[in-house]
Amino acid sequence: MSFNCYKDIIEEGDTVILYINPQAMYAIQALSIIENRKGEKVENIMQTKYGALKISSLFGKRFGSKVNLSNGWAYVLYPTPELWTQTLPHRTQIIYTPDIGLIMFMLELKPGSIVVESGTGSGSLTHAMAFRVKPSGHIYTYDFHEQRAEQAQKEFKSHGLSDIVTSQCRDVCQNGFSDEVVGKADAVFLDLPHPHLVVPFAIKALKSTGGGRICTFSPCIEQVMRTCQVLKDHGFIQLTTIECLEKEYQVLNRTVTTFTGIRQLPSTDSQSQNAAAEESAGPAEKKFVACVPSACPRGHTGYLTTATYLMENPLSRRSDTEGENKCEN
Amino acid sequence: MTATSVENMITPGHYLIINKNETYLIHQISNKAILKLGRDVIDLKMAIGQSYSSTYKLEPVTDKKRHYTLVVCNDNQARNQWATNGCGTDNKLITDDSSSQLLSTDEIIALKESGETGQNIVERLLKNSKTFQLKTEYAQEKYLKKKARKYCDYITIFKPTIRLITDVLYKQQTIPKTIALRFDTLAQILCRINLDPGGKYLLYENGSQGLLQAALLNQLHDNGSLVHIFSSTSEQNPLKAVKAMNFSESKIKQMLTVSLDEILNTKSEYDIPEEKVEEVVFNCSDDKKRKSDEAYTQLKKKHRPITSTDGLNFIQSNKFDGLIVVCREEPNEFVKILLPYLSLSRPFVVYSAYKEILVTMYAEFKMRRDLVFLRLTDNFLRHHQVLPNRTHPDVTMDDGSGYLFSGLFVTVICQTYEYSLTADSEENYICGFSKKQIQDTLLYAKKYPTKGIALNYACLKEQNIGNDRCLTEQYKLIECLRKECFLTNEQGNEITKGTNIPKDQILKNQEIKKRYQESIVKGNEELDNAVKYYEETMLEHLQSIDNLMKKRIYVDDINIALTNLKIELTAAIRRQMLNINIDQNLNLLY
Ligand SMILES: C[S@@+](CC[C@H](N)C(=O)[O-])C[C@H]1O[C@@H](n2cnc3c(N)ncnc32)[C@H](O)[C@@H]1O
């Protein structure tokens, strides 16, 4: 409910992010009564590492408030796409925020954009794109996995995104996209095992005025190679393949031992020796602020291949030099 | 003609992105439509009225050297392509003696000036190269690429988008004069700020040629708004990116501007120096020229009279959905002033080219209790060459992503106890006690300043009730204090009562005293156990708090605080145990 527009006060039915620390964040649906395993209606009480939280106590609180748990406290936050990505229930591998940011940028999304996406997966990217193109834009998203598509559809509805997202169960490698998107899309995004098979369908979906964008996300370089070849063959230009990893740093207070107590090599000068003896207070401690990279950051997510489609060109043309040049650079 | 197609049509006054081979540039097309590109002069008149994303062939003008006109050419196949006609397998036959090209430089220049097409020139070059056929396929490609850059006969005109503008600006930027904002960093900023098209945003941008203003405006729907705070220290072409986007008048109106000085002054004086507030007045001039620089130059005119919707008022009467700071200055103090203008649970993002600046800020901000989810990041970005059998990461990398520091603004927790009593805070409870309870307790504490109470009181004050840290410990301390206060109160009554105690009562009291001493002995054992138990729980707390705040607060500081607290607490427990004994005895008394 709370997904389609920022709101201030928590109401029943909203999704709320319970923030304990960056490693412990949970998406909760704010319902006062839930069914227990026996099917009885019971008071909704959430158990956390730091004690229990009565969900109904959240109603009327502001997003951003601090709430007491029985053994500590937490914050209740608005479910921005970024926080949702961190807390959503995984039904598939998902795309994370650094890639999401780049995808939306490379696809040049803005309010009003019409986007075609496949597969929907867990809807991580779909949520972010919906937030970006609302209120006038639209995301058409397809997944051939029936349950997943259904689940996603339900989720979009309960998050108040039905006006912005259309979710369908469809095998886009075989059947392409639905007729309603033909010639309409500003951008096409593909995150499925064989994106190269979908490129001809993507061209059909892209608007005919030219300048439409395509982006594929593939974990393996072989997928990228096939995709690039097909894109080039179909006259796409400005082909680029990038990978982008976000590095996070922690800022900590640290102390080190310094060598200030130690003097230069003993000299014959008796005076300085005396001075050294006086000052030999031993090693001193020094405080400093350390900036430490994460111990084991993500090393790979996927390659992003992006390209522009200019005008309607006859299909299957020979590779054009410009595309090749761009690609090589 | 529909509105969309007009928007998609090249019109004089528009900014365009011109792409020739691999170079991109921002160009404003005038009525004359002349583009100077290196030593070439290109007449763009043909492009006027065409839709964007078209490709044109450069046609030499017969009577003028290096002058060209355009011919629309949207056929990909017609683009520059040169037959290579076989290649070598390695480079062992190739010697570099600069005599491999039979055409002289003068001859080549003459060719170019004669209006020969790039296609033909390169073909001649290939024919006259002794080594080209010997080169490996890879080397040939590299050679052709180099030549294509110089002799490309085609240009493509794109509609400016943030993506293209970011690229053009990034390549032109001169560090440290301007901020080189790489596309992935900009993408990250837009994502981190969780841009809501209908939201209100607060931006301070200085040094990045208006890229952030353009990007944010581009992401706003009609109901969104942006307040840009600008610095008086002048920047060259501070609106380059905004202009290049060909925004409509109404779009531009969604952005209000305020000078940085106004913000800083207001803060220190707590009143609004009204006359000095500046607002961008993008008046629709009468002539229907859709886009003119005039609107923008007004921004430069300082101190225009204000209207009812001035930026400063807007800032002060609104809560914002995000704060973005991209600048060359150290933004620390400034960000602190602007944070309270954010709604709760909303993000801020600060960019700096220098990690050190953000590290200092992080260290300071993580001591604050009204900020969570603090993150300091940069990007590893790698381009890949994807070619059959020759796919690999690019040989050069760009490490200039800069750094981002971001977080979410949440409830302000009362800093001290005294403050929390007066402030109309949302938190009616502190450490699980109502304010009234604490107030009463402290009143008692003041009334009966026994040693124990004074100690606990001092300890509590030192801990700053309501402080996020060590809540559980504070809870215990307050509880302890309450108890002591209660007891002292009772004892106080007892003493007053005791002035005319009958003899048997005294006897009874003596017995009590005896039992009291006994219970103290017994209590001491309990005490030892309790202290041990508390020590263990303290350790647990220590660890859990350590884990909890590893990323956010100086762990060392917490440790020190907790060690101190532990000592205090042990003392408190001792006193409390003593009280339990007193308690028991008091029960006996009645
Ligand atoms: C890795 S997931 C996508 C995750 C998604 N991008 C996210 O961020 O949550 C890939 C999805 O593609 C779907 N898929 C695979 N092949 C497909 C096809 N031919 N047509 C439609 N969907 C397909 C799978 O069912 C799977 O859910």
Side-chain angles (χ1 to χ4, degrees):
Chain A
M1 215 117 91
S2 41
F3 273 85
N4 53 356
C5 184
Y6 266 129
K7 61 187 286 190
D8 289 330
I9 309 286
I10 300 170
E11 290 169 289
E12 176 127 33
D14 284 347
T15 301
V16 175
I17 307 291
L18 192 72
Y19 173 99
I20 294 173
N21 61 45
Q23 287 80 43
M25 283 194 264
Y26 310 95
I28 46 179
Q29 189 154 29
L31 296 173
S32 52
I33 305 285
I34 49 161
E35 279 191 7
N36 66 7
R37 260 174 267 155
K38 291 183 203 141
E40 297 155 348
K41 296 226 183 300
V42 291
E43 170 91 58
N44 188 4
I45 293 180
M46 187 186 170
Q47 294 299 334
T48 73
K49 217 161 82 184
Y50 297 94
L53 173 71
K54 196 164 128 187
I55 301 298
S56 59
S57 72
L58 299 180
F59 303 156
K61 282 220 157 82
R62 278 174 180 281
F63 280 106
S65 300
K66 191 168 159 181
V67 292
N68 284 325
L69 308 173
S70 38
N71 289 318
W73 71 94
Y75 290 93
V76 281
L77 303 178
Y78 177 82
T80 57
E82 187 184 14
L83 292 176
W84 177 248
T85 290
Q86 298 235 348
T87 53
L88 58 80
H90 283 214
R91 299 184 286 267
T92 59
Q93 187 66 263
I94 65 160
I95 299 181
Y96 287 93
T97 306
D99 285 317
I100 289 177
L102 216 49
I103 289 166
M104 296 199 293
F105 186 85
M106 293 305 256
L107 289 179
E108 304 183 335
L109 300 193
K110 58 179 187 183
S113 296
I114 307 290
V115 189
V116 169
E117 179 200 22
S118 187
T120 314
S122 309
S124 164
L125 177 67
T126 321
H127 272 87
M129 293 201 296
F131 206 70
R132 188 64 73 90
V133 305
K134 79 194 181 79
S136 45
H138 206 93
I139 317 286
Y140 295 90
T141 181
Y142 305 84
D143 202 305
F144 69 174
H145 191 283
E146 206 168 311
Q147 266 168 313
R148 245 174 254 154
E150 204 176 289
Q151 190 72 32
Q153 174 116 34
K154 257 194 230 155
E155 208 172 73
F156 297 137
K157 193 161 172 236
S158 86
H159 289 172
L161 297 173
S162 319
D163 292 346
I164 311 167
V165 181
T166 304
S167 156
Q168 276 181 39
C169 179
R170 195 178 173 100
D171 184 336
V172 299
C173 289
Q174 285 196 351
N175 307 320
F177 304 109
S178 50
D179 289 341
E180 60 193 319
V181 301
V182 170
K184 263 188 160 176
D186 296 291
V188 173
F189 175 78
L190 303 172
D191 173 15
L192 35 74
H194 303 292
H196 64 282
L197 296 178
V198 192
V199 170
F201 300 120
I203 290 175
K204 259 176 84 182
L206 286 172
K207 59 182 181 181
S208 54
T209 48
R213 297 279 294 164
I214 190 169
C215 175
T216 67
F217 176 91
S218 303
C220 304
I221 198 71
E222 290 80 4
Q223 295 169 302
V224 173
M225 284 155 60
R226 278 192 294 270
T227 309
C228 282
Q229 191 58 52
V230 173
L231 286 174
K232 255 186 265 177
D233 290 350
H234 284 79
F236 280 85
I237 60 157
Q238 295 179 338
L239 241 78
T240 51
T241 297
I242 54 171
E243 64 174 323
C244 184
L245 299 168
E246 186 178 79
K247 289 187 286 169
E248 184 161 356
Y249 300 88
Q250 290 182 33
V251 175
L252 305 164
N253 261 355
R254 286 281 175 262
T255 36
V256 279
T257 312
T258 61
F259 292 112
T260 46
I262 297 167
R263 279 265 158 167
Q264 285 174 356
L265 286 173
S267 71
T268 43
D269 186 348
S270 61
Q271 238 186 345
S272 73
Q273 260 176 353
N274 284 345
E278 269 167 40
E279 277 186 34
S280 65
E285 299 256 285
K286 187 173 132 192
K287 278 201 171 186
F288 72 103
V289 177
C291 180
V292 189
S294 333
C296 42
R298 216 181 283 276
H300 180 63
T301 56
Y303 301 101
L304 286 177
T305 299
T306 59
T308 305
Y309 191 67
L310 276 193
M311 288 281 174
E312 281 212 54
N313 279 305
L315 293 187
S316 65
R317 60 171 56 267
R318 265 186 41 101
S319 62
D320 81 296
T321 20
E322 216 170 342
E324 233 163 71
N325 287 340
K326 273 318 290 180
C327 193
E328 200 176 320
N329 210 348
Chain B
M1 212 175 277
T2 64
T4 45
S5 69
V6 169
E7 212 174 85
N8 212 25
M9 227 172 62
I10 298 169
T11 318
H14 271 199
Y15 282 82
L16 320 170
I17 302 279
I18 306 235
N19 163 223
K20 185 175 182 228
N21 198 290
E22 274 161 44
T23 50
Y24 287 80
L25 63 115
I26 300 170
H27 175 72
Q28 186 183 24
I29 186 167
S30 63
N31 280 317
K32 275 196 194 147
I34 294 296
L35 167 69
K36 289 198 179 109
L37 201 66
R39 287 171 40 208
D40 299 336
V41 178
I42 302 170
D43 182 349
L44 297 176
K45 262 192 218 82
M46 261 305 299
I48 293 174
Q50 296 284 340
S51 56
Y52 284 107
S53 310
S54 281
T55 301
Y56 307 84
K57 190 166 197 283
L58 297 178
E59 237 8 282
V61 178
T62 35
D63 49 347
K64 280 191 199 145
K65 273 183 193 172
R66 307 201 73 149
H67 275 57
Y68 301 90
T69 56
L70 301 182
V71 179
V72 185
C73 170
N74 275 326
D75 185 0
N76 273 344
Q77 239 157 12
R79 307 267 177 85
N80 294 136
Q81 272 176 32
W82 294 284
T84 48
N85 203 5
C87 59
T89 50
D90 52 41
N91 58 7
K92 72 180 169 203
L93 295 174
I94 298 173
T95 44
D96 187 15
D97 58 0
S98 74
S99 68
S100 51
Q101 180 54 254
L102 298 176
L103 289 182
S104 71
T105 320
D106 287 344
E107 281 171 311
I108 298 171
I109 290 174
L111 271 177
K112 182 90 185 142
E113 287 183 349
S114 74
E116 190 62 276
T117 62
Q119 176 77 28
N120 289 341
I121 295 174
V122 176
E123 265 163 27
R124 294 272 288 270
L125 285 174
L126 294 186
K127 221 179 281 164
N128 288 291
S129 165
K130 286 193 290 188
T131 51
F132 185 76
Q133 307 303 347
L134 299 174
K135 286 183 193 228
T136 60
E137 194 186 345
Y138 174 62
Q140 283 182 351
E141 213 158 292
K142 221 165 126 187
Y143 178 85
L144 282 178
K145 208 172 130 191
K146 225 167 83 191
K147 294 300 159 204
R149 202 172 299 154
K150 214 162 162 189
Y151 299 107
C152 177
D153 295 322
Y154 298 88
I155 64 167
T156 307
I157 299 181
F158 291 99
K159 184 173 178 160
T161 64
I162 295 294
R163 179 179 64 90
L164 293 171
I165 293 171
T166 309
D167 253 14
V168 174
L169 293 186
Y170 187 68
K171 285 183 183 132
Q172 287 175 355
Q173 267 154 347
T174 47
I175 311 163
K177 255 194 190 152
T178 50
I179 289 171
L181 209 56
R182 210 169 65 187
F183 70 97
D184 54 316
T185 310
L186 179 59
Q188 231 67 288
I189 293 174
L190 295 178
C191 208
R192 216 60 92 66
I193 207 70
N194 279 302
L195 213 107
D196 177 353
K200 299 189 205 74
Y201 291 89
L202 208 48
L203 166 71
Y204 177 62
E205 174 179 35
N206 184 21
S208 42
Q209 302 184 62
L211 188 56
L212 259 295
Q213 293 164 68
L216 289 169
L217 271 179
N218 187 47
Q219 298 294 344
L220 288 182
H221 186 63
D222 305 340
N223 56 348
S225 45
L226 172 67
V227 175
H228 174 232
I229 298 159
F230 66 91
S231 162
S232 41
T233 58
S234 64
E235 167 192 358
Q236 262 194 351
N237 219 341
L239 286 170
K240 187 163 181 179
V242 182
K243 288 189 225 166
M245 283 299 287
N246 301 318
F247 285 128
S248 66
E249 303 276 353
S250 61
K251 190 91 196 173
I252 293 289
K253 273 192 183 145
Q254 284 177 260
M255 177 166 76
L256 297 170
T257 63
V258 184
S259 107
L260 177 64
D261 299 337
E262 305 305 331
I263 304 270
L264 300 178
N265 285 345
T266 324
K267 259 295 152 182
S268 54
E269 293 164 18
Y270 286 101
D271 78 336
I272 315 159
E274 294 216 351
E275 329 77 63
K276 275 159 64 190
V277 180
E278 177 178 343
E279 193 221 357
V280 205
V281 189
F282 289 105
N283 280 328
C284 311
S285 35
D286 283 342
D287 60 321
K288 281 268 151 58
K289 219 167 112 189
R290 196 177 149 275
K291 189 86 262 117
S292 83
D293 268 5
E294 215 173 288
Y296 299 102
T297 47
Q298 294 201 5
L299 185 76
K300 285 190 188 148
K301 290 186 197 154
K302 286 250 158 151
H303 306 325
R304 296 184 58 83
I306 52 144
T307 65
S308 54
T309 55
D310 76 84
L312 196 58
N313 271 341
F314 191 81
I315 291 183
Q316 285 170 337
S317 53
N318 275 287
K319 286 284 186 188
F320 289 83
D321 296 314
L323 167 67
I324 306 108
V325 175
V326 174
C327 64
R328 290 172 290 188
E329 300 96 323
E330 182 187 72
N332 205 338
E333 293 307 310
F334 175 62
V335 170
K336 278 194 270 181
I337 290 173
L338 289 182
L339 277 174
Y341 291 111
L342 286 179
S343 285
L344 295 185
S345 197
R346 301 293 198 276
F348 72 90
V349 183
V350 183
Y351 166 90
S352 177
Y354 309 108
K355 198 201 287 181
E356 290 73 12
I357 286 183
L358 296 183
V359 167
T360 320
M361 203 161 162
Y362 194 144
E364 186 181 340
F365 277 27
K366 77 178 186 177
M367 303 305 284
R368 287 175 68 132
R369 285 167 287 273
D370 54 355
L371 299 173
V372 294
F373 204 33
L374 295 182
R375 308 180 62 206
L376 174 61
T377 62
D378 68 355
N379 280 346
F380 166 96
L381 175 77
R382 199 144 76 159
H383 285 261
H384 291 263
Q385 164 184 301
V386 183
L387 287 171
N389 296 319
R390 269 173 291 148
T391 297
H392 60 70
D394 277 4
V395 288
T396 51
M397 257 182 84
D398 174 344
D399 232 351
S401 74
Y403 298 85
L404 292 181
F405 175 53
S406 67
L408 292 170
F409 184 69
V410 293
T411 330
V412 191
I413 307 287
C414 4
Q415 300 247 334
T416 64
Y417 174 64
E418 272 78 8
Y419 170 68
S420 77
L421 283 181
T422 50
D424 188 16
S425 131
E426 291 181 24
E427 308 281 306
N428 276 318
Y429 283 83
I430 297 163
C431 312
F433 292 96
S434 76
K435 283 179 188 169
K436 175 111 188 7
Q437 278 176 316
I438 294 181
Q439 205 159 23
D440 287 350
T441 312
L442 290 196
L443 268 174
Y444 275 128
K446 277 196 190 126
K447 208 162 152 196
Y448 302 105
T450 67
K451 202 174 162 222
I453 290 175
L455 246 168
N456 271 353
Y457 184 49
C459 175
L460 254 178
K461 272 200 112 157
E462 203 180 295
Q463 279 296 314
N464 277 348
I465 310 181
N467 179 332
D468 267 15
R469 305 197 210 165
C470 333
L471 272 192
T472 326
E473 286 70 25
Q474 285 178 27
Y475 176 90
K476 284 181 190 144
L477 282 172
I478 297 176
E479 201 171 53
C480 189
L481 190 59
R482 269 165 54 79
K483 188 144 202 180
E484 271 182 295
C485 290
F486 172 77
L487 285 170
T488 327
N489 197 11
E490 295 296 309
Q491 277 170 339
N493 289 341
E494 176 63 20
I495 291 159
T496 39
K497 255 194 250 162
T499 40
N500 47 6
I501 308 164
K503 278 224 166 129
D504 55 330
Q505 186 65 49
I506 292 173
L507 223 86
K508 208 176 159 194
N509 278 0
Q510 271 170 356
E511 186 161 324
I512 289 169
K513 204 175 162 193
K514 212 174 112 205
R515 279 203 230 158
Y516 180 70
Q517 273 161 352
E518 277 169 19
S519 68
I520 284 185
V521 176
K522 210 172 106 216
N524 273 342
E525 282 165 24
E526 277 174 43
L527 191 69
D528 283 344
N529 289 337
V531 168
K532 220 157 116 200
Y533 166 72
Y534 270 102
E535 262 180 12
E536 272 163 22
T537 38
M538 280 306 300
L539 216 72
E540 250 179 65
H541 273 299
L542 234 132
Q543 266 156 10
S544 71
I545 291 191
D546 198 342
N547 286 340
L548 188 69
M549 304 195 164
K550 210 166 240 152
K551 294 189 88 176
R552 305 297 148 208
I553 298 225
Y554 292 152
V555 177
D556 301 347
D557 292 356
I558 280 205
N559 283 348
I560 293 166
L562 280 181
T563 320
N564 286 339
L565 189 66
K566 194 170 137 189
I567 298 164
E568 291 285 354
L569 200 69
T570 320
I573 296 163
R574 277 180 198 282
R575 289 193 295 276
Q576 196 180 8
M577 289 303 291
L578 215 66
N579 287 334
I580 291 170
N581 295 336
I582 297 170
D583 221 359
Q584 284 168 359
N585 289 299
L586 282 174
N587 281 341
L588 285 176
L589 210 63
Y590 297 106

